Amino acid sequence: MSRRYRVTHRTTYSYSDDVTSSYGRAYLTPRDHPGQRLLEHDIVIDPVPSDRSIGTDVYGNTTSYFHVTAEHRTLEVTGESLVEVDVPDPAGLDGAELPWERARPTTDTGPLAVEFTLDLLPPEITPEVTAYAAESLTPGRPLLEAITDLNTRIHRDFRYRSGSTTVSTRVADVFAAREGVCQDFARIGAACLRAHGLAARYVSGYLATDPPPGKERMVGADATHAWSAVWLPGAEEDDRTGRWIAFDPTNDQFADERYVTVAWGRDYADVPPLRGIIYTDAEQSTITVSVDVAPVTG
């Protein structure tokens, strides 16, 4: 069983003076991976770029590059996608009853996952982060039980408040303020797991705007969303088998068919929706973002 979504992600930049040249890099192309299929995709840029290309980064994410040379005071970048997401198979959690300590990857058991155990630069793993995670990662506790507990505690202990942080806010600052947004909570989840040798991804994507019948609307719809994922050793002991368990501290649940994955990396800085460089004398600029993830029926 699966669900299809039409995703529209529009970003508009407005400037107080002419921009003579604009270089951009976008992570707006949803991934193809087990449980998700990208059926259609396009990125529309206005003004039309004089040069553009598509590439793949080290994590397998699709990146789009563009260069606008026409003078402009408004730049609009719109990603449009049709995505099919499967309802999760409960068997995907098979093996998650093993003690969490046994899920630590090594160069023998999970060579491609080892990178996701490493701290960032500057470091995000502090004594407070390590101690906080230890309350969930008690000795011998089953991995799934430990992740469920950590997910719930982050949701309970940190208040969601839009605008309370920026993309450069450190995990330590979020711990001190005890508030943030989904990107912050995803980064906290990843830092907690890495503090104890587990591999954790930062995942960027979207949530369905309208929930399925009988399910509540979740925090993070109508905007880009972020969540975490922990590596689980599979039968082939290889992280390329899709043995990652995705969990969402913002909404205290595991990712399901309402989650559309765009990209993953070690941190937000690896997969921002848009980043770029402009040449202008403008002293003021504004950015507006709108996201719609609408179910497609029939």
Side-chain angles (χ1 to χ4, degrees):
M1 184 177 178
S2 61
R3 291 176 61 86
R4 288 190 177 187
Y5 300 101
R6 179 72 63 181
V7 180
T8 304
H9 180 169
R10 180 173 291 109
T11 305
T12 304
Y13 299 91
S14 299
Y15 306 98
S16 60
D17 201 347
D18 290 337
V19 173
T20 57
S21 185
S22 178
Y23 295 87
R25 182 185 188 189
Y27 283 91
L28 295 173
T29 307
R31 291 189 67 120
D32 270 309
H33 67 92
Q36 178 175 296
R37 291 163 296 283
L38 179 61
L39 306 178
E40 299 174 7
H41 179 69
D42 192 19
I43 297 178
V44 179
I45 303 169
D46 184 22
V48 176
S50 58
D51 184 33
R52 63 187 300 176
S53 63
I54 298 175
T56 303
D57 72 4
V58 67
Y59 302 116
N61 304 304
T62 297
T63 63
S64 300
Y65 304 85
F66 60 88
H67 181 199
V68 176
T69 54
E71 287 192 356
H72 58 279
R73 293 197 178 192
T74 301
L75 173 67
E76 186 173 87
V77 181
T78 304
E80 300 176 337
S81 308
L82 179 63
V83 184
E84 187 172 66
V85 184
D86 294 337
V87 174
D89 183 351
L93 297 178
D94 288 351
E97 69 278 359
L98 86 168
W100 69 266
E101 295 95 335
R102 290 178 53 194
R104 291 169 170 153
T106 68
T107 53
D108 292 327
T109 63
L112 299 183
V114 170
E115 179 181 358
F116 292 91
T117 68
L118 304 177
D119 198 3
L120 306 176
L121 288 175
E124 295 282 25
I125 298 174
T126 63
E128 184 178 12
V129 168
T130 303
Y132 184 86
E135 294 182 36
S136 295
L137 298 168
T138 53
R141 192 175 196 181
L143 177 65
L144 184 60
E145 183 181 310
I147 298 302
T148 300
D149 184 65
L150 178 64
N151 205 27
T152 297
R153 290 175 54 231
I154 295 173
H155 175 77
R156 181 192 65 208
D157 295 343
F158 295 83
R159 183 167 69 103
Y160 183 96
R161 189 164 75 87
S162 181
S164 60
T165 59
T166 70
V167 295
S168 59
T169 300
R170 303 285 305 281
V171 165
D173 296 328
V174 180
F175 258 86
R178 282 297 195 267
E179 63 182 18
V181 295
C182 56
Q183 287 82 4
D184 301 305
F185 305 153
R187 295 175 67 233
I188 288 173
C192 284
L193 299 182
R194 292 171 186 157
H196 293 269
L198 293 170
R201 280 176 176 165
Y202 175 97
V203 187
S204 174
Y206 310 108
L207 277 176
T209 306
D210 298 315
K215 294 191 176 182
E216 294 184 359
R217 185 179 178 86
M218 293 187 293
V219 175
D222 301 321
T224 56
H225 195 54
W227 54 97
S228 310
V230 61
W231 183 73
L232 173 66
E236 299 178 26
E237 302 290 358
D238 188 337
D239 64 343
R240 289 171 295 188
T241 63
R243 298 290 293 178
W244 290 83
I245 300 174
F247 62 99
D248 179 8
T250 302
N251 290 288
D252 189 19
Q253 69 166 42
F254 290 90
D256 59 18
E257 70 277 10
R258 291 170 287 179
Y259 290 72
V260 175
T261 299
V262 172
W264 56 60
R266 294 181 56 232
D267 190 46
Y268 171 88
D270 290 335
V271 290
L274 280 166
R275 65 154 55 108
I277 299 173
I278 62 170
Y279 293 86
T280 181
D281 291 326
E283 295 181 356
Q284 296 181 337
S285 64
T286 60
I287 177 174
T288 57
V289 180
S290 65
V291 172
D292 185 62
V293 185
V296 176
T297 58

